[in-house]
Amino acid sequence: MSILPIVLFPDPMLRRPCTPVPVIDESIRRLAADMLETMYAAPGRGLAGPQVAVPLRLFVMDTTWKEGTPSPRVCLNPAILDVSDAWAENTEGCLSIPGIPAQVSRPDWIVLRWTDLDGAERTERLTGFDCVAAQHELDHLNGRLCIDLMDEASRTAASPALAALGAA
Ligand code: NI
């Protein structure tokens, strides 16, 4: 396994919609393992394909490892099947936008379907931080970033820091 370079905002790679993972082969398995290793080393709780310059619809996440209980997930071709009417606001960070926390509101549960590395279709209702992380990572596959969803106050507060990262 190896640690991959993380693509940083405002690299246009982060804005490219990704294409489906066509087949699960050795290169995808190696990529997923490298993405997990890269995420843990960063350290972070989620990492999507475009963040390592791979414009494919996959992400890895592990929302519990920092508390001592690893729960790695590799999600290929994920889709949201249902969302709650109720929304919740959380502070999100992104490995591609270091040092800029974003206050973001999202549905507070989702039903996520994805294919795992064994090719099995999985469907799970996600809540709490799993729910936030899965939506954040899935947005990456559509070229959308958490800073796009910030409320007005945090956008204003973050604008000097975003400008320092090279945003227009
Ligand atoms: Ni991110």
Side-chain angles (χ1 to χ4, degrees), residues 1-2 4 21-38 52 54 56 58-60 72-76 115-120:
M1 296 204 296
S2 47
L4 306 170
V21 175
V23 63
I24 303 168
D25 57 12
E26 192 46 39
S27 72
I28 290 294
R29 284 191 197 91
R30 184 174 309 118
L31 172 65
D34 287 347
M35 285 174 66
L36 278 168
E37 187 178 8
T38 302
V52 291
V54 177
L56 290 175
L58 84 162
F59 65 77
V60 298
R73 278 196 177 91
V74 176
C75 300
L76 311 177
T115 303
D116 71 18
L117 269 186
D118 298 320

Side-chain angles (χ1 to χ4, degrees), residues 13 24 26 39 71 75 77-78 84 87 92-93 101 116-117 120 123 126 131 133 138 145 161 165 168:
M13 168 63 70
I24 303 168
E26 192 46 39
M39 178 191 76
S71 57
C75 300
N77 301 329
S84 64
W87 287 39
E92 300 182 17
D116 71 18
L117 269 186
T123 302
L126 301 178
C131 176
L138 204 151
L145 301 173
L165 290 177

Side-chain angles (χ1 to χ4, degrees), residues 51-110:
Q51 294 183 276
V52 291
V54 177
L56 290 175
R57 300 189 72 80
L58 84 162
F59 65 77
V60 298
M61 61 185 256
D62 185 336
T63 59
T64 57
W65 73 273
K66 287 187 180 181
E67 287 70 49
T69 316
S71 57
R73 278 196 177 91
V74 176
C75 300
L76 311 177
N77 301 329
I80 292 175
L81 303 185
D82 197 9
V83 302
S84 64
D85 291 331
W87 287 39
E89 190 177 72
N90 289 281
T91 304
E92 300 182 17
C94 182
L95 294 175
S96 293
I97 317 171
I100 302 184
Q103 288 292 118
V104 176
S105 285
R106 300 183 185 274
D108 72 0
W109 59 257
I110 63 169

